[in-house]
């Protein structure tokens, strides 16, 4: 049951830095999710951790680098590719071959192939396997040595819902046995159910590392929502108390910087009738998009929106977020976030979002930015910025 | 190293291509051997010269391999060598392999050992079949010490092809490219260089023909012929000794293997 310690992992391809000074821990007894946009360096990091790529830094498993492990499959199991096997070598022979390298008995091969649900096709050739079956065979490979640590790159890719459910339960069970599970995935909803901790990267740098609940709580999308009789008065008084207030499209006030007890108390003091008071908690997806907005390597062109959304990515931030051995650059920042610096502060002051200028951030006129154009007929979407402008580009660092 | 050997032994035994590549090499050599034996047995050889029988015995045994005829089995062994490493890159198994055995030197050494053992076993079968045909069909088969050197060099030539194929795959990290390179060099590139060099040598009357001694595959083929003196005057008397031919061939093989091994060990998986 190994403690994984990654320190100073760096890797460059030519002049391009794929991973830059990445440091984090993965503790036993937990599922640690590894998140980042495409091209953020997740797979490269995992290869560095396993000594497959040459780079800088070191990763140790209970203090021992991977290349120095005796019979590594018995200590660290890994899956890095979806279908890493010869198409005409029987599944069982693929496992026996790997087992032979680490003196793992053939009885264990039978065990793991049944465990991943491939017992009926053990003697089939993997060329007939679906992507999901290939993933299961990869997982069987990882589990072959009954290791205390698992490193899995997108293991849920290609799995059907039952397979995803099975994977989640299995990983949580394995973590419950005290193993260290480090798993990357693009399925954020799945990660939210599975992971206890997160390592979030963007452009090869650490954005966040720590408990998932802490990560989500730092999202600016967490807010107190209140619907009151006199929103203008409430807004003014809240701002006088340094709370950030945004008027939602449905008229509610979204308040950050003050908890719901104090907001309710203030309404009471002001004699303002409250129709609704609730806490809005960010989802992992929202927190992830906030955190990695500025660090997308590849962006799709959305093809609509006018002025461009305008909240800066947290990569601009300087406020550290629990990164081990943090250097100050590993911040999950607040300063680069949205709605922090504009005159109006906050997002969505005037309805839509994506307008440039003083309001910046989410603020904007209806029809500008990401929102549906006038006459489109649909109500404005909730204020979930995509960070996408008319030409599909994200303008890093723009703030409200 | 033991784990790597177990892994590689399992690897080579559990893919069909290992078997059919060996089977093709054996079958092709057997077919040529049979045809040669039938032709020679039908001919009226002058029985005053034992050397004639010695040469024919060798020719039949080694599938007519010699300085002017390609060793038909060698390309198949080269492809086997390519597949020993090329499969890892083609099917993305190299990461799984190196995760199981992080010591890359051990991985490559195990591949080399198992590949050579497999090829040697195939050659042994080839020679046993050739010996049986020789015994059955030739009038006066000459089995003796004179066969040792050419047959050793024949064996070395086939093994060298396999090793060079492995080195090429590790160097190029591309199975198709390595197979093309392994086949084109001995069968196309060297013959062209050889022919052009000799033509230039004859027209200029000068020593450019000596350069042909540096062609590894050609040197390897020359090393098989026995008696070597029969062709000592070939190429304006500029042909190097049989020992030098062996050295040139193996230098070529080792160069390719060293380049491939360096790439395999140093580069990212």
């Amino acid at each position: 049951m190994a403690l994984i310690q990654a320190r100073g992992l760096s890797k460059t391809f030519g002049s391009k830095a794929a991973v830059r000074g990445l440091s984090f821990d993965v503790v036993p007894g937990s599922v640690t999710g590894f998140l980042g946009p495409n091209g953020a360096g997740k797979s490269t990091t995992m290869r560095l951790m396993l000594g497959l790529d040459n780079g800088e830094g070191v990763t140790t498993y209970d203090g021992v680098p991977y290349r120095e492990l005796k019979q590594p499959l018995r200590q660290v199991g890994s899956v890095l590719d979806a279908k890493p096997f010869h198409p005409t070598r029987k599944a069982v022979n693929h496992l026996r071959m790997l087992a032979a390298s680490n003196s793992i008995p053939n009885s264990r091969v039978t065990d793991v192939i049944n465990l991943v649900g491939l017992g009926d096709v053990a003697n089939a050739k993997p060329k007939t396997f679906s992507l999901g079956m290939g993933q299961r065979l990869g997982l069987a490979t990882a589990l072959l040595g009954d290791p205390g640590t698992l490193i899995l790159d997108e293991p849920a890719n290609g799995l059907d819902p039952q397979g995803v459910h099975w994977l989640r339960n299995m990983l949580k069970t394995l973590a419950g046995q005290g193993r260290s599970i480090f798993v990357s995935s693009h399925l954020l909803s799945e990660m939210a159910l599975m992971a206890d901790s997160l390592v979030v990267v963007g452009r090869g740098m650490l954005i966040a590392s720590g408990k998932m609940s802490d990560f989500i709580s730092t999202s600016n999308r967490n807010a107190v929502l209140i619907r009151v009789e006199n929103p203008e008065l409430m807004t003014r008084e809240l701002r006088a108390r340094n709370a950030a207030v945004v008027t939602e499209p449905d008229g509610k006030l979204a308040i950050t910087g003050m908890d719901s007890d104090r907001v309710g108390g203030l309404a009471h003091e002001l004699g303002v009738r409250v129709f609704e008071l609730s806490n809005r908690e960010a989802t992992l997806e929202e927190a992830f998009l906030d955190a990695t907005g500025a660090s997308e390597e590849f962006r799709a062109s959305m093809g609509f929106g006018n002025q461009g959304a305008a909240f800066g990515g947290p990569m601009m931030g300087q406020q550290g977020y629990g990164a081990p051995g943090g250097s100050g650059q590993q911040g999950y920042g607040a300063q680069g976030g949205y709605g922090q610096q504009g005159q109006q502060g906050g997002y969505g002051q005037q309805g839509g979002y994506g307008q440039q200028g003083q309001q910046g951030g989410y603020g904007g006129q209806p029809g500008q930015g990401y929102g549906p154009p006038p006459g489109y007929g649909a109500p404005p979407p909730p204020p979930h910025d995509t960070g996408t402008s008319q030409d599909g580009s994200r303008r890093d660092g723009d703030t409200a | 190293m033991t784990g790597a050997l177990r892994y590689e032994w399992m690897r080579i035994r559990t893919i069909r291509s290992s078997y059919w590549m060996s089977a093709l090499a054996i079958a092709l050599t057997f077919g040529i051997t049979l045809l040669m034996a039938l032709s020679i047995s039908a001919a009226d050889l002058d029985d005053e010269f034992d050397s004639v029988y010695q040469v024919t015995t060798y020719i039949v045994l080694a599938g007519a391999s010699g300085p002017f005829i390609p060793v038909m089995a060698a390309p198949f062994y080269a492809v086997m060598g390519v597949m020993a490493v090329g499969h890892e890159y083609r099917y993305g198994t190299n990461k799984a392999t190196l995760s199981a055995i992080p010591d890359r030197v051990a991985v490559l050494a195990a591949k080399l050992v198992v590949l050579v053992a497999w090829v040697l076993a195939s050659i042994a079968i080839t020679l046993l079949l050739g010996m049986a045909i020789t015994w059955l069909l030739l009038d006066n088969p000459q089995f003796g010490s004179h066969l040792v050197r050419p047959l050793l060099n024949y064996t070395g030539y086939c093994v060298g092809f396999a090793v060079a194929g492995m080195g090429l795959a590790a160097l190029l990290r591309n199975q198709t490219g390595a197979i093309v390179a392994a086949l084109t060099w001995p069968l196309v590139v060297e013959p062209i260089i050889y022919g052009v060099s000799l033509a230039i040598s004859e027209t200029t009357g000068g020593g450019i023909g000596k350069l042909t001694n540096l062609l590894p595959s050609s040197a390897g083929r020359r090393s098989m012929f026995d008696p070597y003196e029969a062709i000592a005057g070939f190429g304006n008397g500029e042909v190097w000794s049989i020992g030098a031919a062996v050295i040139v061939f193996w230098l070529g093989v080792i160069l390719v293997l060293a380049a491939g091994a360096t790439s395999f060990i140093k580069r990212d998986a």
Side-chain angles (χ1 to χ4, degrees), chain A residues 26-354:
Chain A
V26 177
V27 296
S30 70
V31 177
T32 299
F34 192 29
L35 302 180
N38 288 338
K42 300 189 298 296
S43 296
T44 304
T45 300
M46 287 185 159
R47 288 199 302 271
L48 285 169
M49 292 171 73
L50 295 170
L52 296 171
D53 278 7
N54 299 306
E56 294 173 26
V58 65
T59 305
T60 58
Y61 302 83
D62 277 345
V64 183
Y66 191 87
R67 287 190 181 190
E68 294 174 19
L69 292 174
K70 303 294 181 194
Q71 299 186 329
L73 294 186
R74 290 177 178 273
Q75 296 168 72
V76 182
S78 61
V79 178
L80 298 184
D81 292 318
K83 297 178 93 172
F85 32 73
H86 192 285
T88 63
R89 179 182 287 115
K90 293 175 183 175
V92 68
N93 283 338
H94 173 73
L95 294 173
R96 283 178 182 161
M97 178 179 73
L98 290 165
S101 67
N102 282 241
S103 301
I104 296 166
N106 283 343
S107 59
R108 178 63 186 168
V109 170
T110 308
D111 290 346
V112 293
I113 210 160
N114 287 325
L115 178 67
V116 301
L118 293 179
D120 292 341
V121 290
N123 285 306
K125 291 168 182 164
K127 68 179 178 182
T128 63
F129 284 10
S130 66
L131 183 60
M133 292 166 79
Q135 288 283 23
R136 286 172 185 263
L137 183 54
L139 285 166
T141 304
L143 295 169
L144 203 51
D146 197 16
T149 299
L150 286 175
I151 295 178
L152 310 173
D153 194 6
E154 302 281 356
N157 268 3
L159 292 180
D160 54 22
Q162 289 85 352
V164 172
H165 179 77
W166 162 80
L167 176 70
R168 181 204 312 149
N169 287 342
M170 186 185 71
L171 294 184
K172 289 188 81 71
T173 302
L174 291 170
Q177 294 167 350
R179 300 172 208 253
S180 308
I181 316 287
F182 189 52
V183 54
S184 76
S185 177
H186 283 116
L187 302 176
L188 295 177
S189 56
E190 191 52 42
M191 192 66 86
L193 294 171
M194 186 193 305
D196 308 299
S197 302
L198 292 176
V199 174
V200 184
V201 293
R203 291 186 185 270
M205 291 190 295
L206 189 69
I207 292 174
S209 173
K211 295 274 185 198
M212 186 188 299
S213 54
D214 293 342
F215 175 70
I216 293 174
S217 70
T218 59
S219 171
N220 285 325
R221 312 224 180 179
N222 293 302
V224 176
L225 294 178
I226 188 167
R227 188 160 61 86
V228 293
E229 186 178 42
N230 189 344
E232 292 78 15
L233 171 63
M234 193 70 189
T235 300
R236 192 167 56 244
E237 292 299 325
L238 283 165
R239 287 189 178 141
R241 288 161 177 79
N242 295 321
V245 185
V246 174
T247 304
E248 299 278 283
D250 60 2
K252 291 178 190 169
L253 303 179
I255 302 145
T256 53
M258 187 180 284
D259 63 29
S260 56
D261 288 356
R262 289 183 59 203
V263 171
L266 178 62
H268 179 72
E269 286 172 19
L270 296 173
V272 174
R273 290 176 67 192
V274 175
F275 303 123
E276 184 180 340
L277 178 64
S278 62
N279 283 309
R280 181 176 67 194
E281 292 186 1
T283 63
L284 174 60
E285 181 177 80
E286 289 169 336
F288 173 77
L289 291 173
D290 281 355
T292 60
S295 60
E296 270 186 290
E297 185 78 4
F298 308 105
R299 298 161 192 159
S301 174
M302 298 290 288
F304 53 93
N306 284 332
Q307 298 291 322
F311 69 78
M315 290 296 292
M316 303 294 292
Q318 299 176 11
Q319 184 175 319
Y321 171 80
S327 64
Q329 294 183 355
Q330 299 166 342
Y332 171 60
Q335 302 222 352
Y338 57 91
Q340 297 291 326
Q341 297 177 10
Q343 187 179 27
Q344 298 290 333
Y347 51 92
Q349 285 295 318
Q350 296 188 23
Y353 34 86

Side-chain angles (χ1 to χ4, degrees), chain B residues 57-77:
Chain B
T57 301
Y58 164 73
I59 285 175
V60 172
L61 264 175
S65 305
F68 311 113
I69 308 167
V71 181
M72 301 304 288
F76 293 97
Y77 296 129

